[in-house]
């Protein structure tokens, strides 16, 4: 059922490319807690001669740092007292791909294990795989697509830093939602990203303008949830690298300014392991009870799993009434004011989770959706009636309003602890606590503007 194609590299193909000199560098990478690719660059021949058979390692502090790569306390798996030892990288050759925007470079993504070969449960890829295994035990396979928005600027990343990320020049000076002209203005960069990702094995759909100034989205065809998460992580890194090569910068942060934020709507559906449709009854032309149970589970667990949909302080600035970002925990038929929107019929029937922003870790968000949905199936939860009209003014329960609220709901969630285990819940609770403490000690531009002279 995967959309895998011959644009991915095989180990045999990589061997030939290294021998011919077409590829001389292999990036070995995994996705960290913040959704970033971490790893190392290896010489191509060394990779083939030694790493393919024996693997490679990296420091376990990589799953115990903040966004600035500072070591922080509170993690059970990594600390000064434990000596900051190694994790082993387990190569997944199904992810082997060429990155044409980098000279003579290929990449392979990895799972993480401890030196005793036990899995690193706190790894985002392992967390998603555990929910995939749970779905498989029930007879299902999950498919997903992520719709990731970004804002593009004419400034380089270095210039943006020097300007303290203020007063940057967006690549478009007005709302370019669906605008062909607006897309044309930045087409050289968008085309480069699309074609680079296509060459890397991704099934590119297209690109379109969005509402905020300089905001765009590049879409990819749905796939197996693990393939989608892997591709998401590669795309996010490559898009920044390509923008930098063009002398520009882009951001996926959930809320860059007071205008529209960057969303990452996630579409998800289940299939039988034989590829059969399980969310739709063709005979009656309606949703199946299984589909309803799944959606009911995602809605029921949304308050306690929002931490995995909105993992940062800034994530919650995006939730604003009338912004196309959801504030209300409800579902609707093709209703973009709701947190969950149901779209499609037959094989295309799927749910769209509109809560995640561009800063989301795709592995964690997909794992959360699957955990909630499978809980709904197992408990046979009933789906409430669809919300009709404007969810913003409906009076329905709200999405958590801050990282603190989401963290408190997550740490006390019986569903989260049952689905992910105490080790995972405690690990990601600590990540949130670290971010909350860091923000609490910061003096913001907002405070300076309001207080420097007038207080």
């Amino acid at each position: 059922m995967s959309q895998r194609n011959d644009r991915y590299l095989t180990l045999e193909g990589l061997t030939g490319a290294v021998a011919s000199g077409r590829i001389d560098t292999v990036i070995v990478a995994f996705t960290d807690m913040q959704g970033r690719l971490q790893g190392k660059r290896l010489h191509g021949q060394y990779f083939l001669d030694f790493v393919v058979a024996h693997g490679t390692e990296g420091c376990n502090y990589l799953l115990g740092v903040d966004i600035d790569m500072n070591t922080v306390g509170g993690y059970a798996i990594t600390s000064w007292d434990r000596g900051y030892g190694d994790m082993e990288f387990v190569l997944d050759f199904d992810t082997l791909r060429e990155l044409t925007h980098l000279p003579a470079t290929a990449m392979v993504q990895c799972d993480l294990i401890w030196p005793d070969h036990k899995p690193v449960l706190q790894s985002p890829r392992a967390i998603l795989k555990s929910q995939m295994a749970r779905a498989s035990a029930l007879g299902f396979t999950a498919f997903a697509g992520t719709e990731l928005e970004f804002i593009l600027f004419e400034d380089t990343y270095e210039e943006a830093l020097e300007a303290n990320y203020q007063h940057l020049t967006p690549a478009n000076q007005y709302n370019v939602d669906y605008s062909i002209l607006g897309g044309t203005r930045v087409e050289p960069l968008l085309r480069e990203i699309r074609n680079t990702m296509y060459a890397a094995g991704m099934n590119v759909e297209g690109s379109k303008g969005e509402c905020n100034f300089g905001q765009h989205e590049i879409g990819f065809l749905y796939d197996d949830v693990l393939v989608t998460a892997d591709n998401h992580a590669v795309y996010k890194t490559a898009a920044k690298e390509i923008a930098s090569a063009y002398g520009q910068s882009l951001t996926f942060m959930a809320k860059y300014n007071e205008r529209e934020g960057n969303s990452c709507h996630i579409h998800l559906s289940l299939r039988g392991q034989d590829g059969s449709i399980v969310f739709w009854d063709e005979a009656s032309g309606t949703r199946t009870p299984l589909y309803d149970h799944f959606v009911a589970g995602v809605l029921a667990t949304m308050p306690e799993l929002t931490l995995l949909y909105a993992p940062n302080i800034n994530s919650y600035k995006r939730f604003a009434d009338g912004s196309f970002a959801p504030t209300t925990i409800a579902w609707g038929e093709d209703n973009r004011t709701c947190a969950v929107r149901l779209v499609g019929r037959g094989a295309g029937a799927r749910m769209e989770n509109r809560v995640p922003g561009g800063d989301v870790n795709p592995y964690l968000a997909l794992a959360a959706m699957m955990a909630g949905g499978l809980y709904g199936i197992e408990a046979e939860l009933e789906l409430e009636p669809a919300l009709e009209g404007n969810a913003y003014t409906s009076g329905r329960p709200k999405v958590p309003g801050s990282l603190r609220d989401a963290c408190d709901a997550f740490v006390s969630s019986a569903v989260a602890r049952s689905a992910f285990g105490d080790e995972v819940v405690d690990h990601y609770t600590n990540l949130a606590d670290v971010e909350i403490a860091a923000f609490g000690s910061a003096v913001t531009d907002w405070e300076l503007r309001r207080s420097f002279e007038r207080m």
Side-chain angles (χ1 to χ4, degrees), residues 118-424:
K118 292 181 180 178
V120 179
L121 300 176
Q122 295 83 353
S123 162
R125 205 168 192 256
I127 294 169
L128 177 55
K129 279 189 163 184
S130 73
Q131 297 308 303
M132 294 170 65
R134 184 177 165 201
S136 179
L138 294 173
F140 306 120
T141 302
F143 292 85
T146 57
E147 301 175 336
L148 189 55
E149 296 173 349
F150 58 82
I151 300 175
L152 177 66
F153 298 96
E154 298 295 346
D155 315 79
T156 67
Y157 281 108
E158 293 75 18
E159 290 166 345
L161 173 62
E162 288 299 314
N164 200 28
Y165 304 102
Q166 300 292 319
H167 310 298
L168 306 183
T169 303
N172 300 99
Q173 306 297 315
Y174 53 88
N175 182 332
V176 295
D177 194 22
Y178 286 94
S179 168
I180 298 301
L181 177 61
T184 301
R185 293 282 296 275
V186 295
E187 174 60 6
L189 175 64
L190 297 181
R191 178 174 179 268
E192 182 74 13
I193 296 173
R194 292 195 310 266
N195 289 340
T196 298
M197 296 299 92
Y198 182 83
M202 299 182 200
N203 296 306
V204 182
E205 291 186 350
S207 56
K208 65 175 287 291
E210 294 289 345
C211 297
N212 203 338
F213 298 170
Q215 189 176 47
H216 294 267
E217 175 188 300
I218 297 177
F220 301 86
L221 189 65
Y222 76 93
D223 212 316
D224 170 274
V225 286
L226 185 63
V227 174
T228 290
D230 287 340
N231 287 346
H232 179 121
V234 172
Y235 158 61
K236 196 170 183 180
T237 296
K240 293 177 184 179
E241 292 170 339
I242 294 169
S244 180
Y246 273 67
Q248 296 176 277
S249 59
L250 58 84
T251 183
F252 293 99
M253 67 184 297
K255 191 75 168 175
Y256 167 71
N257 58 17
E258 286 72 24
R259 288 185 58 87
E260 294 81 5
N262 287 320
S263 67
C264 180
H265 303 146
I266 299 180
H267 293 249
L268 188 143
S269 65
L270 297 184
R271 298 276 181 95
Q273 291 180 336
D274 60 356
S276 57
I277 307 302
V278 299
F279 271 9
W280 195 263
D281 182 351
E282 288 290 359
S284 63
T286 58
R287 300 188 311 272
T288 63
L290 182 89
Y291 188 5
D292 284 0
H293 295 326
F294 190 92
V295 175
V298 171
L299 290 170
T301 58
M302 188 162 283
E304 56 208 274
L305 300 184
T306 291
L307 180 65
L308 303 186
Y309 303 138
N312 300 301
I313 294 284
N314 180 256
S315 307
Y316 296 83
K317 302 293 179 68
R318 182 175 147 266
F319 301 143
D321 289 348
S323 67
F324 286 102
T327 60
T328 303
I329 300 175
W331 76 277
E333 296 276 8
D334 198 12
N335 187 338
R336 285 184 167 87
T337 70
C338 297
V340 171
R341 170 177 169 250
L342 301 194
V343 291
R345 300 172 61 85
R350 64 199 185 276
M351 65 162 295
E352 177 191 55
N353 184 352
R354 298 178 62 79
V355 172
D359 59 340
V360 75
N361 185 319
Y363 300 89
L364 300 181
L366 286 165
M369 290 177 69
M370 291 180 66
L374 295 176
Y375 164 72
I377 289 174
E378 291 170 338
E380 296 185 346
L381 297 183
E382 289 190 20
L383 182 61
E384 64 189 29
L387 187 148
E388 297 182 3
N390 186 352
Y392 294 118
T393 59
S394 67
R396 298 283 186 91
K398 298 291 186 180
V399 176
S402 69
L403 186 61
R404 178 77 275 160
D405 291 343
C407 183
D408 289 345
F410 184 69
V411 73
S412 60
S413 169
V415 171
R417 291 190 178 275
S418 174
F420 307 127
D422 291 340
E423 301 96 332
V424 169

